[in-house]
Amino acid sequence: MDRQLAERLEIFERTGQVAPEICRFVRVELDMLDAAGSEITEESAGTLTSHLLLALQRSRDGGALTEFAADETVRAELAGHPDALEQAAALAERAESALDVVLPGQEVRFLALHLALLRQREAMR
């Protein structure tokens, strides 16, 4: 993880936008992606990081996204990336276990889009 991405996490925690345990969980998840060979930087994973932090906090606070007008478009895009959807679902299971936070399907699909984009970036390296 590069310095800028670490700063992003610190800002979210320091400003109270997300709980410290959520920041710790996301940091561990990013470290796991990094250990698996993904290049985890501000450029490659900044939006993934922000979305995951806020999705977990929204879900914990009872305000998770459950409806989205473009959901069918998201589903169609993910049809070509079943591995990203599986990876996002596994992440959601770890979040439920570690944080007792349930991410609804809409949030999981959005995370899968971020993970698919990360994989596409890796393929272009």
Side-chain angles (χ1 to χ4, degrees), residues 86-102:
E86 289 174 15
Q87 188 178 13
L91 190 157
E93 287 177 15
R94 289 189 298 275
E96 184 173 4
S97 177
L99 300 168
D100 199 28
V101 173
V102 176

Side-chain angles (χ1 to χ4, degrees), residues 48 51-52 55 58 65-79 81-92 103-117:
L48 165 65
H51 184 171
L52 182 53
R58 275 193 307 268
L65 295 178
T66 56
E67 294 182 27
F68 182 65
D71 195 37
E72 288 309 312
T73 303
V74 171
R75 288 177 191 269
E77 179 64 29
L78 287 174
H81 304 280
D83 52 335
L85 191 52
E86 289 174 15
Q87 188 178 13
L91 190 157
L103 289 174
Q106 183 62 52
E107 295 283 11
V108 173
R109 287 188 290 279
F110 272 129
L111 290 172
L113 284 176
H114 286 292
L115 293 168
L117 181 60

Side-chain angles (χ1 to χ4, degrees), residues 27-60:
R27 188 179 308 276
V28 168
E29 289 294 320
L30 293 172
D31 287 344
M32 288 177 17
L33 286 169
D34 187 54
S38 295
E39 182 182 17
I40 303 302
T41 65
E42 173 66 23
E43 182 179 347
S44 68
T47 56
L48 165 65
T49 301
S50 291
H51 184 171
L52 182 53
L53 287 165
L54 294 172
L56 289 167
Q57 190 66 55
R58 275 193 307 268
S59 294
R60 175 180 268 183

Side-chain angles (χ1 to χ4, degrees), residues 9-20 23-24 27:
L9 284 160
E10 290 168 14
I11 289 168
F12 272 95
E13 183 174 353
R14 186 176 63 243
T15 60
Q17 294 178 66
V18 294
C23 284
R24 283 191 298 274
R27 188 179 308 276

